[in-house]
Amino acid sequence: MAWSLRLHGVGNASAVELGSAMATIERDGRPWLTIDCGGEGLTACMDEYGEAPRALFITHTHLDHVAGFERLFVESYFNEARRGRVRVYVPARLVHLLHQRVGDYPNPLAEGGANFWDAFQVIPVGDAFWHDGVRLEVFPTRHHWPDTAFGLRLHGSLVWTGDTRPIPEVLARFADAGELVAHDCALHGNPSHSGIEDLEREYPRALLERCLLYHYASAAEGEVLAARGYRVGLPGERVALRDTTAMRAG
């Protein structure tokens, strides 16, 4: 069984040319679990696979990560085969924030008779959840405000930090099995995001060598990060992953 990561977008909220930060974990070349639902990212995802995601994990509710939900509602609600079957795994602490951001609008259809979440199967999750017989882990990150952003681990294969400041104590636990670590990183950090000097200060060299940097500000900035010796994600790139050692059902 082959696992890979397709990067639909790798930019920050202002880097439209790089696409909104969003990716899909693939199994045997097919989409398995999509991470986030940004506007540009959703377009790239649908262009890649010819259809909208059927399962998503949401890291946090800033609009560059959830702005595609209205389009996803239309794609799902009006398709009998998809309505109510699109799985949306949401850390429990984010459920009310996600609803406020994308679901709390009177009459999502002008004709009435529909609730926004009718299109989806929303699954609140805690420290871990099962998807398609595989156990994934969820961990808190440092982004903007406590308990508002979370990362995802596919044991032995992938750690996706989502937007975050450095989290060395968290990754010491959740990236201890040789995973590729897709990490928020720009050339310069700020109170909500990591800069490369932040990572160099906080992380051991062995961890930095496993990092795939994304959420940077421009193509030129990505080139600077790459020139410093780091692996930098590119829009549309498919990255091979190790086979997961996550717990399996059955």
Side-chain angles (χ1 to χ4, degrees), residues 32-74:
W32 186 70
L33 179 64
T34 295
I35 304 171
D36 286 335
C37 189
E40 294 89 1
L42 180 61
T43 296
C45 179
M46 293 177 66
D47 287 347
E48 175 65 32
Y49 302 123
E51 66 174 7
R54 295 178 179 270
L56 303 95
F57 173 79
I58 305 302
T59 65
H60 68 294
T61 63
H62 279 158
L63 286 177
D64 55 320
H65 295 261
V66 298
F69 258 101
E70 186 168 1
R71 181 180 179 189
L72 190 59
F73 168 83
V74 173

Side-chain angles (χ1 to χ4, degrees), residues 2-247:
W3 296 86
S4 54
L5 181 71
R6 172 71 73 171
L7 299 172
H8 303 306
V10 296
N12 66 22
S14 300
V16 177
E17 74 279 7
L18 296 176
S20 43
M22 178 173 164
T24 294
I25 301 172
E26 300 175 336
R27 185 169 65 179
D28 294 333
R30 297 299 304 155
W32 186 70
L33 179 64
T34 295
I35 304 171
D36 286 335
C37 189
E40 294 89 1
L42 180 61
T43 296
C45 179
M46 293 177 66
D47 287 347
E48 175 65 32
Y49 302 123
E51 66 174 7
R54 295 178 179 270
L56 303 95
F57 173 79
I58 305 302
T59 65
H60 68 294
T61 63
H62 279 158
L63 286 177
D64 55 320
H65 295 261
V66 298
F69 258 101
E70 186 168 1
R71 181 180 179 189
L72 190 59
F73 168 83
V74 173
E75 291 288 332
S76 302
Y77 186 83
F78 292 103
N79 185 327
E80 291 284 343
R82 291 174 56 90
R83 184 190 300 174
R85 295 181 174 88
V86 177
R87 290 193 160 205
V88 182
Y89 300 101
V90 188
R93 292 181 179 271
L94 300 185
V95 171
H96 71 290
L97 296 175
L98 182 62
H99 181 64
Q100 288 172 349
R101 283 294 210 186
V102 303
D104 192 14
Y105 189 87
N107 279 348
L109 296 181
E111 301 90 337
N115 304 298
F116 186 83
W117 299 112
D118 289 343
F120 307 100
Q121 181 185 4
V122 177
I123 304 174
V125 301
D127 295 337
F129 65 95
W130 293 89
H131 173 62
D132 197 21
V134 179
R135 185 177 185 269
L136 296 104
E137 297 168 77
V138 178
F139 57 87
T141 65
R142 292 180 56 204
H143 179 57
H144 196 71
W145 201 253
D147 294 327
T148 61
F150 296 84
L152 182 70
R153 181 195 205 185
L154 179 62
H155 192 280
S157 184
L158 172 70
V159 170
W160 180 275
T161 68
D163 293 5
T164 190
R165 293 286 297 159
I167 45 173
E169 70 288 352
V170 175
L171 294 185
R173 175 182 174 186
F174 288 98
D176 64 348
E179 295 92 349
L180 176 77
V181 180
H183 203 296
D184 174 352
C185 185
L187 194 57
H188 305 289
N190 61 43
S192 288
H193 296 278
S194 298
I196 189 58
E197 292 182 359
D198 298 322
L199 300 193
E200 290 173 340
R201 182 183 64 252
E202 299 283 348
Y203 293 162
R205 174 53 53 182
L207 179 57
L208 290 172
E209 289 175 353
R210 288 193 280 129
C211 284
L212 174 70
L213 307 183
Y214 75 98
H215 207 276
Y216 47 95
S218 66
E221 186 166 293
E223 292 172 0
V224 173
L225 292 170
R228 291 178 67 145
Y230 295 99
R231 187 175 182 182
V232 177
L234 300 173
E237 181 180 3
R238 174 180 280 144
V239 181
L241 300 174
R242 294 169 52 183
D243 191 11
T244 181
T245 50
M247 188 181 300

